[in-house]
C-alpha cells in the first residue's frame, strides 16, 4: 500500500512570487505531497487572496506564519512539513517557529542572512531531530548525481582543480529602481542580507561544487563588486578556493554578465581525467579521460551510473530540466519523512541538501565579504 501523501504547508510564495510556484510544482510532480495550508504573504489580505487563488481551503489559509504554526500544531491532521519560500531575512524566524511546532523544514536558500543566525539555527535543527532540507536544487539533476558517484569511486583520481561559475545578466540594469519585485528585494540588504549576487546564486555554485566533489574549501580569497551605480549589494563576485588536500578552485558568480541567462557550469579536473557539466544543457555530461578522447554521457542512457539512474524519470531524448531537478529534492526529502514516521532506516542511496549545506553557504558568504572588505586577502571558512 502506498504511503499517505505528506501534508505540506507553505510560508511565502503568494501573488507575484516566482519561487513559490516552483516549489509547488516540485512538490506535486512525484505525487508525494499534498499542499494543505499556507501563510503565503506578509500582507494578511494578500495571503488570504493568494491561498484562494491556488485552491487552499479558507480554514487553512492563514494571515501570518505564527498563527499557522499554532493552528496546525493543534490539528490531528496538521502539516508534517513546511516549505519556506520567503525573502531571505524571514527564513530563520519562520524556521524557528515551525521547529518549535515539531514540523520538518524545507527551506529555500540561503539559509539565513548572517553567520551567527545560521550557526544558531543549525544547532537548533540538530537538536530537534527533525528533517531540515535546503533547496539547492541543482544537486537534483541525474548527471550531477552521476558525476558525484564517479568522483566517489575514484574515476578521476585525486581532484586537483575545481572551476564553477554562475553568470546571469538580468540585473545588468537597475531594475530595482523601477520596482521590479524580484530585483527590489534581492538588492535590498535588509531583506537579502549583506551579500547580493554571492548569496543569491554564488551559494548555488558553491554547494554544487561541494556536492559533486565532497570537498569543502578551508580558505578563500574574494573580490565582491558593485557595478551598477546606486546598488547596495554586490552584483559580481570572484573567489579563489584552497582545499585541504592541496586542490585549488575558482568560483565566479555574476548578475551583470550580458548574454547569460542561467549559465551555471561545473568543471572538475583530477589526475585521471576531467568532467564538464552545464545547467543549461543538463542532459549531457562530458567525461575526458586523460590521454583519450572526450566522451558524452547522456541522461537516460545505459552509460549513466546507479546514482544517476536513481533520480532519472523518463527515457533518453526527452529532456529533463530545472523543475524535475527541483522535484528530486522534494522527493528525496519525502522518502526521509516517510522513514521518520516509523523511525525506520531510509534508503541508503538517499541524499539531499540539509541544514549543514545551508550553514556552509552562509559561511562562504561571510568569508567572501570579509575577504573582499579587507582588500582581497585569504580568509578561513568556518566549517
Amino acid at each position: 500500500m502506498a504511503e499517505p501523501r505528506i501534508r505540506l504547508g507553505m510560508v511565502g510564495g503568494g501573488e507575484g512570487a516566482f519561487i513559490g510556484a516552483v516549489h509547488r510544482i516540485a512538490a506535486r510532480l512525484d505525487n508525494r505531497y499534498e499542499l494543505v495550508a499556507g501563510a503565503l504573504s506578509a500582507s494578511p489580505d494578500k495571503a488570504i487572496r493568494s491561498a484562494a487563488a491556488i485552491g487552499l481551503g479558507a480554514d487553512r489559509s492563514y494571515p501570518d506564519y505564527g498563527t499557522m504554526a499554532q493552528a496546525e500544531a493543534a490539528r490531528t491532521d496538521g502539516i508534517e512539513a513546511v516549505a519556506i519560500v520567503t525573502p531571505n531575512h524571514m527564513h530563520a524566524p519562520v524556521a524557528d517557529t515551525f521547529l518549535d511546532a515539531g514540523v520538518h523544514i524545507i527551506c529555500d536558500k540561503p539559509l539565513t542572512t548572517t553567520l551567527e543566525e545560521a550557526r544558531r539555527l543549525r544547532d537548533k535543527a540538530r537538536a530537534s531531530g527533525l528533517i531540515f532540507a535546503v533547496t539547492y536544487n541543482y544537486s537534483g539533476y541525474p548527471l550531477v548525481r552521476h558525476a558525484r558517484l564517479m568522483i566517489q569511486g575514484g574515476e578521476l583520481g585525486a581532484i586537483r582543480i575545481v572551476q564553477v561559475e554562475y553568470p546571469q545578466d538580468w540585473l545588468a540594469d537597475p531594475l530595482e529602481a523601477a520596482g521590479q519585485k524580484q530585483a527590489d528585494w534581492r538588492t535590498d540588504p535588509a531583506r537579502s542580507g549583506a551579500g547580493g549576487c554571492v548569496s543569491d546564486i554564488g551559494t548555488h555554485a558553491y554547494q554544487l561544487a561541494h556536492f559533486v566533489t565532497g570537498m569543502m574549501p578551508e580558505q578563500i580569497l574574494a573580490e565582491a563588486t558593485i557595478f551598477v551605480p546606486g546598488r547596495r549589494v554586490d552584483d559580481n563576485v570572484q573567489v579563489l578556493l584552497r582545499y585541504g588536500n592541496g586542490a585549488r578552485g575558482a568560483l565566479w558568480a555574476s548578475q551583470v554578465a550580458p548574454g547569460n541567462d542561467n549559465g551555471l557550469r561545473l568543471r572538475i579536473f583530477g589526475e585521471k581525467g576531467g568532467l564538464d557539466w552545464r545547467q543549461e544543457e543538463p542532459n549531457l555530461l562530458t567525461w575526458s579521460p586523460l590521454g583519450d578522447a572526450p566522451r558524452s554521457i547522456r541522461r537516460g542512457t545505459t552509460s549513466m551510473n546507479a546514482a544517476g539512474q536513481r533520480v532519472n524519470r523518463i527515457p533518453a531524448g526527452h529532456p529533463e530540466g530545472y523543475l524535475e531537478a527541483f522535484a528530486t529534492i522534494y522527493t528525496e526529502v519525502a522518502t526521509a519523512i516517510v522513514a521518520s514516521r516509523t523511525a525506520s532506516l531510509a534508503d541508503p542511496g538517499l541524499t539531499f541538501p540539509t541544514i549543514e549545506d545551508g550553514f556552509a553557504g552562509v559561511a562562504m558568504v561571510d568569508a567572501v565579504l570579509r575577504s573582499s572588505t579587507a582588500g582581497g586577502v585569504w580568509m578561513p571558512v568556518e566549517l
Side-chain angles (χ1 to χ4, degrees), residues 112-182:
T112 64
T113 56
T114 70
L115 184 59
E116 180 182 7
E117 201 171 44
R119 188 184 301 110
R120 181 193 58 76
L121 190 59
R122 179 195 61 183
D123 293 346
K124 182 173 182 175
R126 285 174 173 175
S128 74
L130 293 164
I131 293 162
F132 197 123
V134 179
T135 51
Y136 284 116
N137 55 291
Y138 300 110
S139 59
Y141 279 106
L143 288 177
V144 167
R145 301 293 179 95
H146 177 103
R148 183 174 189 252
L149 186 59
M150 286 183 69
I151 289 173
Q152 289 176 340
E155 294 184 53
L156 275 70
I159 302 304
R160 292 171 169 170
I161 303 165
V162 179
Q163 295 284 128
V164 62
E165 63 180 52
Y166 196 161
Q168 299 175 333
D169 66 3
W170 75 287
L171 286 176
D173 291 321
L175 295 183
E176 61 268 35
Q180 203 262 21
K181 179 175 179 176
Q182 294 297 319

Side-chain angles (χ1 to χ4, degrees), residues 314-331:
I314 55 179
H318 301 280
E320 286 195 17
Y322 177 80
L323 293 173
E324 289 87 352
F326 220 115
T328 290
I329 304 302
Y330 264 88
T331 298

Side-chain angles (χ1 to χ4, degrees), residues 143-144 146-147 150-151 156 161 163-165 208 212 263-269 273-279 281-289 294-297:
L143 288 177
V144 167
H146 177 103
M150 286 183 69
I151 289 173
L156 275 70
I161 303 165
Q163 295 284 128
V164 62
E165 63 180 52
L208 181 66
V212 175
L264 178 59
R265 182 180 185 182
L266 176 65
R267 288 176 288 173
I268 304 165
F269 304 96
L275 292 172
D276 187 353
W277 179 83
R278 298 177 61 241
Q279 194 271 153
E281 295 183 13
N283 294 277
L284 172 66
L285 173 70
T286 301
W287 160 231
S288 301
R295 304 170 187 176
S296 295
I297 300 170

Side-chain angles (χ1 to χ4, degrees), residues 197-217:
C197 170
V198 64
S199 292
D200 194 19
I201 59 175
T203 53
H204 269 305
Y206 189 75
Q207 189 272 338
L208 181 66
H210 166 62
F211 180 80
V212 175
T213 65
M215 305 188 312
M216 193 72 79

Side-chain angles (χ1 to χ4, degrees), residues 10 12-15 20-21 24 28 35 37-38 40 47-57:
M10 179 170 284
E15 291 177 359
R24 291 191 289 271
R28 288 199 305 266
L35 183 64
L40 302 183
I48 301 302
R49 192 168 63 243
S50 297
I54 63 171
L56 284 179

